[in-house]
Amino acid sequence: MFLITFSVPTKTIDIRRDRLKLMEFFSHPFTGDTDATQMLKDTFRMLDENRYMNADVLLISDYRIPKCKPELLKQMSVHREKGTLFYGLQIGIAPNEWTEHFDHIYRIEYHVDRKY
C-alpha cells in the first residue's frame, strides 16, 4: 500500500518500507487548503510504475476539493479503462463535485450539536 498525503503539497509514504512516517502521518491534524493536482499526478505516477500498476485508489477527504484540470480527469478515466478502480471515503457533508469520476464514494456524515 502506498499513501499520499495532500493538501497543497503532497508527501508520499511507502507503508511497507517506512512505518515510522505512517505513524507520524496519523499523529498530525489534517488541515489546510486542498488542491488535488499534485496528489493526482503522484497517484498516476505510482500507477504507471510496474510495482503499483493496476492498483486501486482510495481517496479519503472531506471533498472540499476544487475540480482540477481536464487533462488530469482524462488521465483518471484512462486508468479506469485499464482496470484501476477509484474509491472515495468522504468525511462530512460538504457538496461533492467528484462523484462522477469515482466508481463509488462512501460517506461518513457527522453532525456537531452546538449549544450556544
Side-chain angles (χ1 to χ4, degrees):
M1 178 159 79
F2 203 86
L3 177 67
I4 302 171
T5 68
F6 75 102
S7 58
V8 174
T10 61
K11 179 193 248 183
T12 56
I13 303 169
D14 187 333
I15 293 173
R16 292 180 294 170
R17 295 183 179 175
D18 200 343
R19 293 185 190 266
L20 183 58
K21 282 186 182 178
L22 177 65
M23 297 310 293
E24 289 173 9
F25 166 76
F26 284 116
S27 68
H28 294 287
F30 304 102
T31 60
D33 294 331
T34 304
D35 181 350
T37 301
Q38 190 60 47
M39 178 272 302
L40 286 174
K41 287 180 180 179
D42 288 346
T43 299
F44 301 145
R45 180 178 49 83
M46 297 306 299
L47 289 172
D48 290 336
E49 293 180 2
N50 288 334
R51 192 169 37 156
Y52 292 99
M53 186 181 346
N54 300 325
D56 293 335
V57 174
L58 171 63
L59 174 60
I60 302 171
S61 173
D62 61 6
Y63 282 85
R64 293 180 182 167
I65 308 171
K67 283 252 184 139
C68 57
K69 294 181 180 179
E71 304 87 58
L72 289 173
L73 296 174
K74 174 67 175 153
Q75 271 189 281
M76 199 172 179
S77 294
V78 167
H79 282 284
R80 287 178 76 198
E81 289 170 9
K82 292 179 183 177
T84 296
L85 298 175
F86 286 85
Y87 295 103
L89 176 59
Q90 180 175 354
I91 300 173
I93 58 173
N96 185 339
E97 298 179 7
W98 289 81
T99 305
E100 67 186 274
H101 303 289
F102 284 77
D103 294 284
H104 187 78
I105 295 181
Y106 300 91
R107 196 169 185 178
I108 297 175
E109 295 182 12
Y110 63 88
H111 302 274
V112 178
D113 291 329
R114 295 183 184 183
K115 296 180 182 179
Y116 296 97

